[in-house]
Amino acid sequence: MKMSNDSTTHEAPKNAMALDVAIVGAGFAGMYMLHRLRSMGLQARVFERASDVGGTWYWNRYPGARCDVESMQYSYSFDQALQQEWHWSERFASQPEILRYACHVADRLDLRRDIQFHTSVTSATFNDAAKRWDITTDRGDRVSARFCVMATGCLSTSRQPDFKGIDRYRGKTYHTGNWPHAGVDLTGLRVGVIGTGSSAIQAIPVIAAQAEHLTVFQRTPNFSIPTRNRPMDETYEQSWKQDYPARRAVARTLRTGVMTEVNDMSALAASEADRQRIYEERWQLGGTSFMAAFNDLSMNKASNDTAAEFVRGKIRGIVKDPAVAEILLPHNHPIGTKRICVDSQYYETYNRDNVSLVDVRATPIEEITERGVQVDGKVYNLDVIVFATGFDAMTGTLIAINPHGRDNVALADEWEAGPRTYLGLMSANFPNMFMVTGPGSPSVLSNMIVSIEQHVDWIADCVGYLQAHDLPTIEPKREAQDAWVEHVNEMAFRTLYPTANSWYMGANIPGKPRVFMPYIGGVGAYRAKCDEVAAKGYEGFALGSNRATQAAAE
Ligand code: FAD
Ligand code: N01
């Protein structure tokens, strides 16, 4: 397929690299996007700031990093040969194995020849006259592309709080989201971990086993479920491989995109004895499917309370020192409304002699001194501080590029009160700019590879449609976007999720608008909506680009 629209009347700026599609990011989203577009005969190129593919799994090399979706499901489904030939060694894959998988895919599909590594995209501006995106990079590239796909990731801008005195600290500091490739030997060192989210909960047991002493600074206790990770069972692997296409098809219709057994009854409908038995079975099974023990845990506070209390009981049972257990008990949010954590021996780690827990909720970290972390006037002397303090999630990476759309409008201004998208795929005033797993799509509430494949396929089909119909541009109509944003909100507020101060709500970043960003209506229902929109000739989108069309869209 060759792009024809407008290319004769509006040339790319002199010396600019002319592309049909510029893709930002070489994680699983950018990799598959490149593959799809190339197979359509389009000139596509990926710009990636890292030195290789893998995205999340390239950056998050902290000890203990691994997936919480089973390996057999957290992988591409678009290529039958690929899913048959790859062997996962564990039930839940570790970061190094997932990175190896990403590299294997890049080799197999020969992706790297169209990926420019060590390159950050620094600006993207829609050129109204040319109907093209002008893109610049920190390497001095000037790119002119008809389409721009932001495959920039939802958890790709790590956040280190602006602690007073941090520059004075004489020890070493690391962020889990940007861990050194060579690894860090913590043997014999006094290590501090700030944060107790998913990353910290995975890292803490591994760090504790290495360090001379580990001090954990916890502001908010989290709920964590044991993963019960184990080597891959061959019979289990084969059962998946024999049935892969059918199982993948089912997963695409489900709420989370993960095949898991949902117990379709209210927690309140079960007797107390049955409820405890069911929770115990899920606890023993391990992993995030704990939240599928009943069908109303994310909707009904009274039901949720029963699950939360069960986990609190487990924490009390595991942690030997009652005072430490008390600090670890989560009370300030319903279970699951912050991303449920999974672990290997997390709570058990607090029984070790070389681990201490500091509660920094009532008395926050005051400053980082030359020697360590100061809380309530006391300095905890540390050789290493690990920031497990999370990400400016879902919007931070895109806002850092701050694309400028029609009439030079800035995305940061358009999203000042929170992200506004139609279907999480596009934003009004930003023609031909697509987002993969953007805010307003199921995204981080799902098996991300399922959602990535759905978005990439939809975007590729959309580009094909525009080509076939000789349409230069596509962008959401304002009223369709407004209606979608309202729907996303309405769905969120039917659940308990907005009651938590989570990164889903932007609550972890000072000053960030409090908006529930992902779409909670489920992967299956969302896919059906996207398919319906496309089948109706891209209902809710303005196709074509002249001012009259745009005016009609407003
Ligand atoms: P990413 O993998 O984040 O890739 C985006 C890429 O864009 C990055 O390589 C980044 O360097 C690049 N980039 C960004 N901005 C620029 C720029 N301006 N210029 C150039 N390059 C840029 N999801 C699950 O479904 N299950 C899990 O178990 C799971 N575990 C996770 C564990 C961790 C520690 C984290 C952080 C996330 C986890 N996720 C999980 C979510 C995970 O992010 C997705 O599953 C998936 O890997 C996202 O792929 P992506 O390609 O969309 O984004
Ligand atoms: O980040 P987080 P994360 N003083 O934001 C604390 C995915 N993931 O990297 O809650 C003290 O969850 C903060 O405290 P509080 C997954 O989607 C998956 O752990 O704000 N503490 C919190 O405890 C996950 O949700 C896996 O009070 C401060 C922590 O830092 C997402 O990535 C593994 C502080 C940040 O937790 C992000 O997880 C890893 C301060 N000033 C990641 N500022 C899997 O298992 C922040 N904190 C699949």
Side-chain angles (χ1 to χ4, degrees), residues 56-57 60 62 64-69 155 159-163 175-177 193-202 217-222 227 288 332-333 338-343 360-361 364-365 387-393 444 448 501-504 507-509:
T56 285
W57 306 102
N60 289 264
Y62 60 84
R66 69 174 67 246
C67 204
D68 69 0
V69 172
L155 296 160
R159 171 175 152 73
Q160 184 164 303
D162 195 11
F163 289 112
H175 193 289
T176 50
V193 171
I194 300 179
T196 48
S198 298
S199 300
I201 282 176
Q202 287 184 328
F217 298 89
Q218 174 193 268
R219 187 165 66 183
T220 307
N222 253 309
T227 53
T288 57
N332 82 343
H333 62 282
K338 285 184 160 206
R339 170 89 174 194
I340 189 92
C341 301
V342 294
D343 71 274
V360 296
R361 170 150 294 277
I365 293 170
F387 293 101
T389 43
F391 301 87
D392 186 350
V444 291
M448 289 286 279
N501 286 327
S502 65
W503 59 259
Y504 297 135
N508 63 329
I509 306 291

Side-chain angles (χ1 to χ4, degrees), residues 44 245 475:
E475 71 181 289

Side-chain angles (χ1 to χ4, degrees), residues 32 36 77 248-257 423 425 440-443 446-458 461 484 519 521-535:
Y32 181 41
R36 275 298 314 260
S77 72
R248 300 284 206 184
V250 171
R252 290 181 199 118
T253 67
L254 301 175
R255 194 174 172 77
T256 59
L423 300 171
L425 280 159
S441 74
S443 180
S446 68
N447 176 347
M448 289 286 279
I449 300 198
V450 171
S451 289
I452 284 169
E453 286 191 332
Q454 185 251 334
H455 265 192
V456 167
D457 287 337
W458 192 96
D461 291 348
W484 183 252
Y519 176 59
V523 164
Y526 170 80
R527 173 187 293 271
K529 170 72 180 169
C530 291
D531 289 350
E532 183 192 315
V533 163

Side-chain angles (χ1 to χ4, degrees), residues 242-262:
Q242 279 160 18
D243 202 21
Y244 242 146
R247 291 193 190 188
R248 300 284 206 184
V250 171
R252 290 181 199 118
T253 67
L254 301 175
R255 194 174 172 77
T256 59
V258 181
M259 278 187 79
T260 197
E261 208 176 313
V262 181

